């Protein structure tokens, strides 16, 4: 009889421990995290056609319009779309608008683009948005989504020789990386 009671007690204890355990505290790679802003480039003359930017380089800028790091976000590549990271308030307060500035450098299309004396054209864009923090799980923590400000979610610093002619916001909310949020015409 004591054996049966001990066995039942062990089975009950194992069942309680098993049911009270949570999943491992590892955030699965498939779990959606804070998305990047997706920008697509289109031909200004034929607005429905994608158009690659040759030798594009992108740097994040600080408040003094100086690159944030020695390493560009996008390094001299020919592409028709880019993914850019957006900053969020470090104090974690929802509802506060913020901005992130980028310089988009269209480098001259010469055979040797490592020559620093080659001509290039720099346009500076400012992205204005409000971050929203969403709890994902104990293992993954929080992720941010970004709501682009309307109507000036994107602005361009005026200069004498712009290569970006115009832009459109096609999706106000940056919540995944499945579709573009901004179109730039050049």
């Amino acid at each position: 009889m004591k054996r049966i009671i001990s066995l039942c007690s062990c089975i009950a204890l194992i069942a309680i421990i098993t049911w009270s355990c949570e999943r491992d505290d590892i955030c699965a790679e498939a779990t959606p995290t804070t998305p990047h802003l997706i920008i697509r480039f289109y031909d200004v003359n034929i607005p429905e056609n994608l158009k690659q930017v040759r030798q594009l380089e992108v740097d994040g800028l600080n408040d003094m319009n100086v690159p944030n790091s020695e390493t560009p976000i996008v390094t001299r590549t020919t592409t028709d779309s880019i993914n850019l990271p957006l900053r969020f308030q470090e104090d974690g307060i929802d509802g506060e608008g913020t901005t992130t500035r980028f310089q988009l450098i269209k480098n001259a299309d010469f055979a040797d683009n490592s020559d620093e004396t080659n001509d290039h054209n720099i346009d500076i864009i400012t992205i204005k948005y409000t971050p929203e923090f969403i709890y994902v799980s104990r293992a993954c923590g929080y992720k941010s989504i970004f709501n682009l400000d309307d109507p000036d979610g994107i602005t361009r610093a005026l200069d004498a020789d712009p290569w970006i002619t115009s832009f459109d916001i096609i999706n106000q909310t940056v919540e995944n990386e499945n579709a573009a949020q901004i179109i730039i015409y050049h």
Side-chain angles (χ1 to χ4, degrees):
M1 186 64 151
K2 286 185 179 183
R3 284 188 176 159
I4 293 175
I5 292 175
S6 296
L7 181 63
C8 288
S9 297
C10 286
I11 291 173
L13 183 62
I14 290 171
I16 290 170
I17 290 172
T18 302
W19 285 319
S20 66
C21 287
E22 291 187 26
R23 231 177 86 209
D24 287 340
D25 286 336
I26 298 172
C27 187
E29 276 190 46
T31 304
T33 58
T34 298
H36 287 77
L37 174 72
I38 299 175
I39 297 177
R40 303 288 313 254
F41 297 99
Y42 281 81
D43 189 336
V44 69
N45 298 317
I46 309 171
E48 57 277 355
N49 288 355
L50 286 168
K51 182 180 178 184
Q52 292 189 341
V53 181
R54 297 184 59 81
Q55 300 300 319
L56 178 67
E57 187 172 316
V58 179
D59 291 313
L61 300 175
N62 64 20
D63 293 334
M64 308 289 281
N65 281 343
V66 174
N68 286 333
S69 74
E70 298 288 323
T71 308
I73 298 169
V74 175
T75 307
R76 291 191 183 197
T77 187
T78 299
T79 185
D80 64 11
S81 65
I82 54 175
N83 295 347
L84 300 177
L86 296 175
R87 297 183 309 164
F88 51 89
Q89 298 298 103
E90 293 175 7
D91 57 13
I93 298 174
D94 276 348
E96 285 192 32
T98 191
T99 61
T100 301
R101 273 196 284 299
F102 300 99
Q103 67 178 4
L104 283 72
I105 305 166
K106 185 177 178 181
N107 290 290
D109 192 22
F110 297 116
D112 181 15
N113 276 314
S114 63
D115 182 358
E116 293 294 325
T117 63
N118 284 346
D119 288 341
H120 57 273
N121 191 334
I122 300 173
D123 280 3
I124 296 175
I125 61 170
T126 302
I127 311 295
K128 295 180 184 177
Y129 52 91
T130 302
E132 183 181 333
F133 303 99
I134 298 172
Y135 181 75
V136 176
S137 69
R138 188 172 81 176
C140 299
Y142 288 84
K143 76 173 191 172
S144 296
I145 63 171
F146 306 98
N147 298 302
L148 299 174
D149 291 355
D150 191 26
D152 28 300
I154 180 172
T155 56
R156 182 188 73 221
L158 298 177
D159 63 36
D161 184 26
W163 66 270
I164 295 173
T165 58
S166 63
F167 39 78
D168 287 325
I169 296 175
I170 57 171
N171 188 352
Q172 292 290 133
T173 304
V174 182
E175 58 185 328
N176 61 50
E177 294 181 355
N178 297 335
Q181 290 83 27
I182 294 176
I183 292 175
I184 291 180
Y185 298 97
H186 68 104

